[in-house]
Amino acid sequence: MTGTGPDGHDGAARRVRIQLRQEDLSPSGHVGNASIVRVLEEARTVFLGHARPGRVGYHEGLLEILGDEARMLVGQQTVEYTKELWYSHDPVVVTLWITHVGRSSFSVAATIAGQDTGDARPAVSSEATIVLMDRATRAPWSITDEARAVFARHRGEPVALRPRPAVAAAPRP
């Protein structure tokens, strides 16, 4: 990894510019929370890659390494809103990096830069768990050493999220 940049990320992070749309505005006048999730998904697609025609394999992203063996699903996503985002003709900057690699899943952190140049805190912070599934068996796909090496080049510290209130876990069905 290279030295830490002014935003606290090192060379492992990728910055993606995403254009806001007029329909992203909520009734309150700021960019709505559902639209923020769309921006995060769009940036994650640029970072990880988009589906090839026929929906087999990935193109132009980290997941090209999977070939046609596996596909990805978002297993969980946590989004924390720190500041409001307002519509602008200038794209928002989303910074993405890998924070954890497990047996068949990995985590992608993302921040959306705030629009106030006097405040360096991100407007939005997020972390998503990406689960890799075997295309043929639909079972979890074990991450290969080759894929781990690709992910390691984009590895960084977990995103800083506020602690969640202690809540007893509900039993799973």
Side-chain angles (χ1 to χ4, degrees):
M1 291 187 194
T2 61
T4 301
D7 61 357
H9 301 289
D10 56 34
R14 168 128 187 236
R15 286 173 186 78
V16 176
R17 298 170 66 82
I18 303 293
Q19 187 64 53
L20 296 174
R21 308 172 304 189
Q22 281 287 328
E23 58 265 26
D24 290 335
L25 297 179
S26 73
S28 300
H30 60 251
V31 178
N33 60 349
S35 295
I36 294 293
V37 172
R38 178 201 60 85
V39 167
L40 291 167
E41 177 70 17
E42 193 172 328
R44 207 169 36 243
T45 299
V46 171
F47 182 54
L48 298 177
H50 58 85
R52 291 186 178 279
R55 305 231 181 261
V56 177
Y58 292 90
H59 184 63
E60 297 181 347
L62 271 62
L63 296 184
E64 278 186 297
I65 193 76
L66 304 180
D68 62 358
E69 295 180 43
R71 63 188 180 96
M72 64 155 265
L73 300 170
V74 175
Q76 178 180 5
Q77 179 168 272
T78 302
V79 181
E80 182 174 296
Y81 306 90
T82 309
K83 298 185 284 189
E84 291 177 298
L85 283 176
W86 303 96
Y87 178 79
S88 170
H89 291 290
D90 296 325
V92 294
V93 177
V94 184
T95 304
L96 304 104
W97 66 100
I98 305 288
T99 61
H100 171 78
V101 180
R103 189 184 74 74
S104 60
S105 66
F106 61 97
S107 297
V108 176
T111 58
I112 300 177
Q115 297 163 314
D116 178 6
T117 56
D119 185 353
R121 292 176 306 141
V124 176
S125 299
S126 172
E127 188 163 74
T129 301
I130 307 298
V131 180
L132 298 177
M133 304 296 289
D134 185 290
R135 284 187 185 277
T137 66
R138 296 188 176 156
W141 185 79
S142 294
I143 297 173
T144 64
D145 290 341
E146 188 178 20
R148 285 178 189 283
V150 169
F151 296 160
R153 289 194 295 266
H154 299 276
R155 188 89 186 256
E157 294 296 316
V159 68
L161 297 171
R162 290 183 291 243
R164 294 177 62 194
V167 177
R172 292 187 179 250

